[in-house]
Amino acid sequence: MNMCSSSRCYQDFLAPRREELSNFMWASRQINPQIAYKQPTRPSPQYHKDQVLKSPKIQELLSELSQRQNVSKDVLEAQIKNILDEIGYNKKLKVIRWIGLVLVKICNKVCSGIYINEDAIVQLKSRMGNCPVIFVPSHRSYADFILMSLMCFTEDLAIPAIAAGMDFHGMWGMGTMLRDTGAFFMRRSYNDDSLYWTTFKQYIYQIVTKGELPVEFFVEGTRSRSNKSLAPKYGLILMILKAFFLSQVPDILFVPINISYDRILEEKLFAFELLGIPKPKETTSGFFKSLSIVKEKYGAIYFDIAKPISAKEFFGPVLDRSVHNLRPLHQQEITEEEKKLVPKLAHEIVYRQQKHCVITTFNLLAIVLHNNLIKGKDLLNVEEIIEEIVWLKGIVEALGGFVCIDNVQKNVLDALEVHQNIVTLTSDGKVTLVSNEIVLDKANITKLKGHELSEKTITLSVPFMMLQIYINPVLHYFVDVAVLVLILKNHERAALDELFGHYRFLRALLSQEFITFNAREKMEFDAALDRGINLKLIATDEELYKLGENKKLEETVSNCIDCFIFTYSVVCSVLLQNASRVIAETTILARVQAEVETMISEEKGFIHPYSLSLDTISNCLSILASQKVLTRSRNKNSIFYEIDAAQVLSVRSRLEQYGGPRQVLEGRVDSIQLHLKNKL
């Protein structure tokens, strides 16, 4: 089955599997996959470990540690072998085939299709073979790396060596199975363990320079619980680039991939985690319990493979690799100048992931329902929802997004069925949120990461958190025009320079929330202004800018970012209440949640439950620290902030220009809370 529009075309790679009498022949077929980087002889997983151990880098470290610690070199070498056994991937084709067979059975049961832009696969294959290839998918679910391997197996691409966290390593049976399909394991922290740290870096260097497989890692570092892009991490990408900076490979191709889900496997778990209720530990028994998903529907999954980024082309003449010719190769490290080049590449990868996001019917349905609920208006029936989605689809496409809708009525009915755990039809055919009373067990309460929210608050919040998870992927298309609307709502008219000044402040403040990179700032501002004018959100009056006539869209985009501005204002207020001392991050998180919960319980107006999100509060603290408003420090496993009261007050004062907490409260009608109670 194909799904095409004027701009993109996808094929369902599950479709041929559904037509087969048995998938066994497909899983056991002879395969000759396209490898990433041709080597003189095919390296085995054990070969890589042996080469790391023999490398001058490791041998020199062994001699140094042996002398310094007065420990036999053989003892240290045994430790490195153990570390390599912990890290190293394996490759067993028989295991890969059986897992491929099982995955196809499960996916056929729960998915309506897994779609991929096949043209991009053809183009990618034509560029593979001459240099290392790095797959960099977005990370929204544990299913990402499993589905990536299934996609590669189906498309005859070599299954990559995949960077996986140690939480999987300890799962009985699962760790071994994942290793046998190409996973290599990395610790989250190294605690100044130079032996582990150097061994791991050398292992990455080995599989990049001498490996034939693609390497796969998540540049965001962890799953995004909010379903928004996270700020990229630089550690692993630096290790990978070392081979290029040291001229040991001719080039490196980074392949950004966006994986979009109709329904995310962990959606309810994420809603709880955002409220501070921690995820359960990964266990094998937990994994088998999760297989109960086969009783539910998860809709479609979309793989959109972006144009690969060549490191050679990206860095171009800026890079001077001759500096590495002065000393022996194994003594070379990445220079400070080279490190400064990496953030731009990391952000470009995230940027391309975002631009290749597939917006689904439910993403738009979530926005429509969200707008209706927080405005306190009458609920919409299916026909009215469809009308709103058609309108919203045109808006998202005008803002540069891709919406995958081919038959809007069927797609809406399918979305309502897939997401019946979040949305439901009332007895009179209106669409609203599902609300179930939530009771926490004592084990969960003792592990809370924030304030101990009441069960009443959690019951109200969870449906909104789950709904917001599906709104969030659309927000990077809305945020720039929404910021301009927010400014002009509170500053009636503004000259271009004044408007850009306000925009810079707000986008910098929200840069962890909605990932942006300073180098793109002016370009994104200009594009947002043009789009705002074209959509009649913004009008010009002589050389001044003001709000346009499109009040419906103005309200929609404002509703999408109001809760973030509100939360940031509350964070500043809480910080000012504690401005005289250094305070633990966990304390701030709890106090902000407590403050928001109090406002919700006062029922003086609608406070969006997403303002309780620890993700948003943490993003605010992180950006304030990067702007030197807070001074961040770490003591053992805890993070602390020293508060500069004058600077926090300045940020809060500026935020109040755009509608701080009190203005948000006053701007909402008192009937909204009652409306929600009745509907939920």
Side-chain angles (χ1 to χ4, degrees):
M1 179 181 172
N2 292 352
M3 197 169 285
C4 296
S5 75
S6 57
S7 58
R8 302 193 201 180
C9 192
Y10 300 93
Q11 286 82 42
D12 177 10
F13 69 66
L14 282 183
R17 308 288 76 80
R18 292 197 181 98
E19 295 168 6
E20 296 167 344
L21 290 174
S22 167
N23 302 134
F24 181 79
M25 294 301 290
W26 165 79
S28 58
R29 74 193 189 280
Q30 184 174 358
I31 55 174
N32 184 26
Q34 175 65 55
I35 61 174
Y37 190 22
K38 291 174 184 171
Q39 301 292 340
T41 55
R42 304 202 75 171
S44 67
Q46 187 58 47
Y47 169 81
H48 289 313
K49 291 194 277 190
D50 291 343
Q51 291 303 112
V52 170
L53 189 59
K54 292 176 187 175
S55 67
K57 183 89 173 173
I58 294 298
Q59 288 300 314
E60 195 171 272
L61 177 68
L62 286 173
S63 299
E64 181 190 322
L65 289 178
S66 177
Q67 282 188 328
R68 193 196 315 157
Q69 298 176 2
N70 197 24
V71 176
S72 161
K73 201 172 173 183
D74 290 343
V75 171
L76 293 171
E77 199 166 285
Q79 288 179 26
I80 286 186
K81 285 180 180 177
N82 289 335
I83 290 169
L84 286 167
D85 287 340
E86 177 190 292
I87 295 169
Y89 76 85
N90 209 341
K91 207 64 149 185
K92 293 187 177 176
L93 189 56
K94 188 184 291 185
V95 175
I96 290 168
R97 290 185 188 281
W98 278 110
I99 291 175
L101 184 61
V102 171
L103 282 175
V104 160
K105 298 288 187 190
I106 293 173
C107 290
N108 272 331
K109 184 88 172 167
V110 305
C111 298
S112 58
I114 302 180
Y115 295 90
I116 188 166
N117 49 341
E118 291 281 359
D119 288 349
I121 290 286
V122 173
Q123 291 169 18
L124 176 61
K125 283 182 176 179
S126 71
R127 296 187 66 178
M128 292 175 71
N130 301 316
C131 70
V133 175
I134 315 296
F135 293 147
V136 200
S138 57
H139 199 13
R140 305 293 174 267
S141 170
Y142 275 147
D144 294 333
F145 64 88
I146 300 169
L147 291 170
M148 273 291 300
S149 294
L150 177 62
M151 183 273 288
C152 290
F153 183 67
T154 304
E155 299 291 338
D156 291 324
L157 291 166
I159 292 177
I162 309 161
M166 288 300 292
D167 38 4
F168 291 107
H169 180 271
M171 292 171 64
W172 181 84
M174 285 296 294
T176 302
M177 185 180 74
L178 291 171
R179 192 190 300 278
D180 287 345
T181 57
F184 64 92
F185 296 95
M186 56 187 295
R187 297 177 190 172
R188 296 288 182 192
S189 59
Y190 305 102
N191 297 326
D192 299 322
D193 184 342
S194 62
L195 203 62
Y196 179 88
W197 176 241
T198 307
T199 303
F200 184 81
K201 287 200 292 185
Q202 191 63 28
Y203 184 79
I204 296 294
Y205 182 78
Q206 170 67 27
I207 62 175
V208 170
T209 56
K210 303 299 180 186
E212 65 176 9
L213 302 179
V215 175
E216 177 188 326
F217 80 104
F218 300 108
V219 73
E220 297 165 291
T222 186
R223 290 174 301 165
S224 170
R225 274 70 173 167
S226 65
N227 207 14
K228 289 193 275 97
S229 295
L230 304 179
K233 305 290 189 296
Y234 306 138
L236 206 48
I237 197 169
L238 266 169
M239 294 182 213
I240 289 166
L241 281 168
K242 181 180 177 181
F244 175 69
F245 289 152
L246 269 57
S247 303
Q248 296 307 292
V249 292
D251 196 1
I252 297 179
L253 285 184
F254 291 90
V255 185
I257 300 169
N258 186 284
I259 308 175
S260 303
Y261 295 87
D262 262 348
R263 179 181 170 190
I264 297 170
L265 196 65
E266 306 97 322
E267 58 185 5
K268 193 166 187 179
L269 202 62
F270 286 169
F272 280 107
E273 283 191 60
L274 290 171
L275 289 169
I277 302 159
K279 68 173 182 176
K281 186 179 178 182
E282 280 79 22
T283 62
T284 306
S285 61
F287 169 76
F288 284 111
K289 283 179 186 174
S290 72
L291 292 179
S292 63
I293 64 164
V294 297
K295 298 174 185 174
E296 300 192 44
K297 299 293 182 187
Y298 285 83
I301 299 166
Y302 303 89
F303 280 82
D304 198 306
I305 297 170
K307 182 181 177 182
I309 302 168
S310 154
K312 188 175 182 179
E313 292 171 11
F314 187 84
F315 295 120
V318 175
L319 191 65
D320 177 15
R321 294 192 282 177
S322 64
V323 296
H324 295 290
N325 297 336
L326 304 175
R327 290 161 56 199
L329 186 65
H330 72 278
Q331 293 178 356
Q332 297 284 342
E333 290 297 338
I334 295 172
T335 66
E336 290 303 314
E337 288 71 24
E338 288 165 343
K339 287 179 183 177
K340 289 174 185 174
L341 298 173
V342 171
K344 187 178 177 184
L345 174 61
H347 277 83
E348 179 65 24
I349 290 168
V350 173
Y351 179 79
R352 293 197 190 188
Q353 288 175 349
Q354 287 182 328
K355 294 303 175 189
H356 284 260
C357 173
V358 175
I359 303 300
T360 68
T361 306
F362 191 71
N363 294 136
L364 301 188
L365 195 156
I367 292 173
V368 172
L369 179 56
H370 171 267
N371 283 348
N372 232 53
L373 285 170
I374 69 172
K375 286 185 297 186
K377 290 190 175 179
D378 289 338
L379 294 170
L380 303 177
N381 60 33
V382 173
E383 288 71 28
E384 290 166 328
I385 290 271
I386 288 171
E387 188 179 320
E388 290 295 304
I389 284 175
V390 170
W391 170 76
L392 202 51
K393 177 177 183 286
I395 299 297
V396 173
E397 289 172 343
L399 292 170
F402 174 79
V403 183
C404 200
I405 294 178
D406 55 352
N407 179 334
V408 64
Q409 183 156 14
K410 180 181 183 303
N411 293 158
V412 168
L413 294 174
D414 288 347
L416 290 172
E417 182 184 2
V418 167
H419 294 278
Q420 58 187 285
N421 61 319
I422 302 178
V423 293
T424 187
L425 291 176
T426 62
S427 57
D428 57 349
K430 303 294 178 72
V431 180
T432 191
L433 283 178
V434 171
S435 183
N436 298 308
E437 187 176 354
I438 293 166
V439 180
L440 294 181
D441 60 42
K442 290 180 181 177
N444 274 334
I445 290 171
T446 60
K447 295 178 181 177
L448 291 174
K449 293 184 178 179
H451 175 62
E452 188 177 329
L453 300 168
S454 70
E455 288 172 351
K456 177 184 174 185
T457 300
I458 295 171
T459 297
L460 170 73
S461 301
V462 166
F464 276 97
M465 304 299 273
M466 291 173 74
L467 195 68
Q468 188 71 37
I469 283 169
Y470 291 97
I471 293 169
N472 284 340
V474 188
L475 296 190
H476 68 261
Y477 295 113
F478 279 5
V479 64
D480 289 306
V481 291
V483 163
L484 296 178
V485 165
L486 187 64
I487 295 162
L488 293 172
K489 276 174 78 172
N490 294 278
H491 294 81
E492 294 186 13
R493 282 174 170 75
L496 186 64
D497 288 349
E498 183 188 2
L499 190 59
F500 183 53
H502 286 293
Y503 172 87
R504 286 187 71 184
F505 168 74
L506 282 170
R507 277 309 270 126
L509 197 64
L510 295 169
S511 61
Q512 288 283 111
E513 205 70 57
F514 307 104
I515 302 306
T516 188
F517 194 55
N518 286 343
R520 293 188 179 277
E521 190 176 59
K522 186 64 169 68
M523 182 179 70
E524 298 289 358
F525 170 77
D526 291 340
L529 196 56
D530 286 344
R531 286 169 175 162
I533 291 168
N534 291 337
L535 291 167
K536 298 185 178 177
L537 268 174
I538 299 168
T540 53
D541 182 3
E542 295 179 346
E543 291 189 349
L544 298 176
Y545 293 87
K546 62 180 183 177
L547 287 176
E549 61 190 51
N550 195 341
K551 298 303 175 187
K552 180 179 178 181
L553 181 56
E554 177 188 315
E555 187 175 53
T556 299
V557 298
S558 295
N559 287 343
C560 285
I561 70 162
D562 272 354
C563 67
F564 297 100
I565 301 296
F566 174 84
T567 307
Y568 280 42
S569 295
V570 175
V571 171
C572 289
S573 296
V574 168
L575 290 172
L576 287 170
Q577 293 164 18
N578 299 275
S580 60
R581 58 195 174 88
V582 173
I583 186 167
E585 182 179 62
T586 50
T587 304
I588 300 172
L589 297 177
R591 288 183 183 173
V592 173
Q593 279 194 321
E595 183 81 8
V596 173
E597 183 178 38
T598 299
M599 291 180 175
I600 290 172
S601 64
E602 285 175 353
E603 300 187 2
K604 292 180 180 175
F606 176 62
I607 304 295
H608 200 301
Y610 198 75
S611 297
L612 293 164
S613 165
L614 293 185
D615 187 67
T616 301
I617 302 166
S618 298
N619 284 341
C620 182
L621 295 175
S622 178
I623 201 65
L624 291 177
S626 73
Q627 294 180 352
K628 312 299 183 190
V629 176
L630 306 175
T631 303
R632 179 181 168 122
S633 59
R634 184 181 286 275
N635 186 359
K636 295 182 180 177
N637 294 322
S638 298
I639 295 169
F640 293 86
Y641 291 98
E642 185 178 347
I643 301 163
D644 184 326
Q647 289 210 62
V648 174
L649 186 60
S650 173
V651 171
R652 189 182 71 171
S653 298
R654 290 200 68 176
L655 271 175
E656 285 173 351
Q657 296 179 38
Y658 316 109
R662 195 48 50 193
Q663 287 166 270
V664 172
L665 279 171
E666 289 168 357
R668 304 294 190 192
V669 294
D670 292 341
S671 62
I672 297 179
Q673 287 286 61
L674 180 62
H675 168 88
L676 288 172
K677 284 180 182 174
N678 291 340
K679 299 305 179 187
L680 293 177

